[in-house]
Amino acid sequence: MPIYSYKCKKCGVEFDVLVGVGTGDQEIKCEKCNSKNVEKKFTSFAIGSSGSSSFSSSCPTGICPTGTCNLN
């Protein structure tokens, strides 16, 4: 099941919502103030692996295609 992150435009609180399969368009409300004025945040995801990596990742963000970047 996917987890979506939201930010309330009224009070600023950030929260996550676990969305079940077949729930359709569920109404999202702020957990703190119950406002419906929320926006979905862009979030990244990770894919785990039990194998070893062919390179050592030195990218602090973990999103660089080669695993290394100039952000260090």
Side-chain angles (χ1 to χ4, degrees):
M1 288 187 273
I3 298 175
Y4 295 103
S5 296
Y6 291 88
K7 181 174 183 176
C8 179
K9 291 183 177 182
K10 182 177 178 185
C11 71
V13 72
E14 296 181 8
F15 57 96
D16 297 326
V17 177
L18 178 65
V19 180
V21 176
T23 59
D25 292 333
Q26 81 184 70
E27 186 176 64
I28 305 298
K29 293 182 186 177
C30 174
E31 296 175 340
K32 182 177 179 183
C33 70
N34 277 340
S35 171
K36 296 178 189 175
N37 190 10
V38 298
E39 66 180 348
K40 189 183 289 188
K41 294 177 49 182
F42 177 77
T43 57
S44 61
F45 61 91
I47 299 174
S49 172
S50 61
S52 63
S53 176
S54 61
F55 60 87
S56 68
S57 177
S58 62
C59 173
T61 63
I63 60 174
C64 299
T66 62
T68 60
C69 64
N70 294 327
L71 295 177
N72 295 340

